[in-house]
Amino acid sequence: MISNGVNILSETLALSAIQNIAEYLPKAVADGKDLRAREAVAYGSTIAGITMQLTNTTAQHSMEHAMSAYHPNLPHGAGLIMISKAFAEFFIERHACDEQFIKMAKAMGIPNADKPQDFITALVKLQKACGVADLKMSDYGFDKSESMTLAVNAKETMGGLFLSNPCPMSDAECAEIFEKSYR
């Protein structure tokens, strides 16, 4: 949704995936036997994968791969969750794609969303509902001093995804996202 390659098809699919994940993932987490919830989550996950093929994913993916390169015990999804809020806030602070964040907030259950920060509200609510809001980088052996090392690795190994960001991001800005995410 925030990739600079977003288009009419990818946006439609992405919003459908986001809506299903936001609505049904907490239900699937609460009750793994809820087949309707699991079906909706599987649909959302599949559609999200297709959407990424239609556009490109952003540097958040590069950044997580740097995290797991240095800390291989870190599950991929956990890394993405840990940096998600600070990553989104980076673009919100720069007004790089305000309308996209508002659309995602609406898809996540805030029908009257009218500002990009509403997405952060919806994201945090989803993380809390799924029991992942308290994931900490420190629990996986990270140290805040690694932030620049992670930023450089992200750009050196998967730098092409930084080109899909809605605005440029320097190494220092990337490191700052890691620093803000650190707990």
Side-chain angles (χ1 to χ4, degrees):
M1 279 297 292
I2 67 168
S3 167
N4 61 24
V6 68
N7 58 65
I8 192 169
L9 178 59
S10 67
E11 180 175 290
T12 302
L13 293 173
L15 288 171
S16 175
I18 290 166
Q19 181 179 1
N20 275 273
I21 296 294
E23 182 176 348
Y24 289 101
L25 184 58
K27 294 174 184 177
V29 168
D31 179 5
K33 294 180 182 180
D34 183 338
L35 294 182
R36 172 67 184 121
R38 290 175 54 194
E39 176 184 40
V41 170
Y43 164 82
S45 176
T46 301
I47 293 302
I50 293 168
T51 302
M52 289 186 343
Q53 300 304 311
L54 294 172
T55 60
N56 205 355
T57 190
T58 60
Q60 183 178 0
H61 201 80
S62 305
M63 293 169 66
E64 193 294 324
H65 277 278
M67 294 170 74
S68 57
Y70 286 89
H71 298 274
N73 62 327
L74 175 70
H76 183 63
L80 290 169
I81 291 166
M82 289 178 200
I83 63 173
S84 62
K85 183 174 180 261
F87 188 81
E89 288 173 338
F90 173 83
F91 298 108
I92 290 170
E93 290 167 4
R94 285 153 185 79
H95 302 284
C97 53
D98 289 351
E99 285 303 312
Q100 296 304 95
F101 283 110
I102 293 168
K103 289 175 188 176
M104 289 189 289
K106 288 179 179 180
M108 294 175 76
I110 303 178
N112 297 323
D114 61 358
K115 59 188 177 302
Q117 189 65 29
D118 291 333
F119 170 76
I120 299 297
T121 300
L123 176 66
V124 170
K125 179 181 175 186
L126 178 62
Q127 290 176 350
K128 287 179 180 176
C130 293
V132 295
D134 294 327
L135 289 174
K136 296 179 191 169
M137 293 170 72
S138 58
D139 287 345
Y140 291 90
F142 285 85
D143 187 274
K144 201 173 192 177
S145 66
E146 294 178 78
S147 295
M148 184 55 78
T149 299
L150 296 172
V152 169
N153 179 277
K155 282 203 173 173
E156 286 180 353
T157 60
M158 295 179 71
L161 296 183
F162 282 83
L163 299 174
S164 295
N165 285 350
C167 71
M169 178 187 291
S170 69
D171 288 354
E173 291 167 330
C174 184
E176 187 176 335
I177 291 170
F178 286 121
E179 290 171 9
K180 287 181 177 180
S181 301
Y182 184 81
R183 293 187 290 147

